[in-house]
Amino acid sequence: MELQSINISNAASIKQNIQDIRNMEVSENWSLKEKDMHVLAVNGTEIFSGIVRTKHPDFPYILFVDVMNSGDVFWYNTKKYEERIIDNKIELKLKNCDNWVTVCKDNKFIPHYGRYLLNGYSYVGKDYLRYPAVKFNRIGRPTFIPRVHQLVSLFGFGIETFKCLGKNRTLEINHMNPIIKDEKIQTQGLGQLEIITIQGNREHRDMYRYRNILIKKHGKIVFNI
């Protein structure tokens, strides 16, 4: 039977997705990106409802993925900061300082420009649209650049996300109702994503093109409705 859609209505829980990935068999044919994504999933923990904390041993960062709400990713440098989680808050402090700074409260993150909690995306993509991504450099090894919606899908849709990665992917992650500004896809939570066939994703994309629903106005791609 052809896959129709994996979406928020039929997806497993975040905790179940993490456990399923921990139990899955890692293929020797996986790309480095697939292996990196697997490491992030295995190290993931749902600390608050819909929010995952994770890490990768190759990088000195802790990541927070807001799966269910904004669909954003936030991170901080573990070489510079200490972390504590108290009730509904995440706090950070410089290692040589006693002042704790709240960076998340009641499931709402508070990023800071250039310090504490970071949220500065890179943008990737070959077509006219660019996708937000998190860029991690490795000395002597390829850079790891997961797209933000791939990280949301990783924890929200689980194992099926691995079929959406790389040149040999058989499925794709679709933005059902994309928000586009300055030719950049804006982040969205799991409720606006789905995993579908490559053909289905192309048909969804072409629907907007052929009906001229997406137009460029004042330098922005907007819905022509």
Side-chain angles (χ1 to χ4, degrees):
M1 179 180 295
E2 183 178 350
L3 175 75
Q4 296 300 313
S5 171
I6 299 172
N7 54 62
I8 196 171
S9 68
N10 57 21
S13 68
I14 291 174
K15 290 181 181 179
Q16 185 62 56
N17 286 330
I18 292 173
Q19 189 58 49
D20 289 345
I21 293 174
R22 287 173 178 167
N23 293 334
M24 74 184 295
E25 183 177 348
V26 177
S27 172
E28 294 180 357
N29 297 322
W30 274 7
S31 66
L32 181 57
K33 181 175 182 177
E34 289 171 301
K35 294 176 181 177
D36 285 333
M37 293 285 281
H38 183 265
V39 170
L40 288 179
V42 167
N43 288 325
T45 301
E46 187 177 18
I47 56 171
F48 302 135
S49 178
I51 293 177
V52 175
R53 178 186 187 274
T54 189
K55 61 184 179 180
H56 192 299
D58 284 0
F59 311 104
Y61 299 101
I62 295 293
L63 275 66
F64 300 101
V65 184
D66 187 352
V67 178
M68 303 303 294
N69 298 309
S70 69
D72 278 302
V73 178
F74 306 87
W75 59 95
Y76 74 88
N77 192 327
T78 58
K79 292 182 177 181
K80 295 182 178 180
Y81 301 100
E82 294 180 12
E83 171 197 347
R84 70 182 183 186
I85 299 176
I86 302 177
D87 297 326
N88 62 341
K89 294 192 300 182
I90 303 172
E91 296 180 335
L92 299 177
K93 79 175 187 70
L94 287 164
K95 290 190 173 183
N96 60 352
C97 179
D98 295 328
N99 183 43
W100 288 94
V101 175
T102 299
V103 296
C104 181
K105 183 177 181 180
D106 296 327
N107 280 28
K108 294 189 181 299
F109 284 92
I110 309 166
H112 295 68
Y113 182 77
R115 58 181 184 157
Y116 293 101
L117 191 70
L118 305 178
N119 182 231
Y121 296 134
S122 300
Y123 284 86
V124 298
K126 296 181 179 180
D127 297 326
Y128 67 97
L129 292 179
R130 311 286 283 177
Y131 293 84
V134 184
K135 185 176 182 180
F136 299 110
N137 294 312
R138 263 187 293 226
I139 298 176
R141 298 182 67 193
T143 301
F144 178 35
I145 314 178
R147 298 185 183 193
V148 171
H149 67 271
Q150 292 172 340
L151 293 172
V152 172
S153 176
L154 180 68
F155 295 106
F157 297 141
I159 287 176
E160 296 300 311
T161 301
F162 290 91
K163 299 178 183 178
C164 304
L165 302 174
K167 296 180 180 180
N168 297 321
R169 64 186 179 277
T170 57
L171 301 173
E172 289 186 343
I173 303 167
N174 181 45
H175 292 73
M176 294 188 288
N177 296 289
I179 298 174
I180 304 167
K181 182 178 180 181
D182 296 329
E183 300 185 1
K184 296 176 181 177
I185 293 284
Q186 303 300 293
T187 56
Q188 292 177 296
L190 192 71
Q192 292 299 321
L193 300 177
E194 65 176 346
I195 289 179
I196 58 175
T197 63
I198 295 175
Q199 182 61 30
N201 196 23
R202 289 174 178 171
E203 289 175 357
H204 182 266
R205 175 198 63 196
D206 292 342
M207 176 183 71
Y208 289 112
R209 287 182 176 176
Y210 294 148
R211 291 174 57 190
N212 292 322
I213 292 179
L214 291 180
I215 62 173
K216 191 168 185 177
K217 183 183 292 185
H218 304 304
K220 299 179 181 179
I221 296 178
V222 298
F223 285 100
N224 185 26
I225 54 175

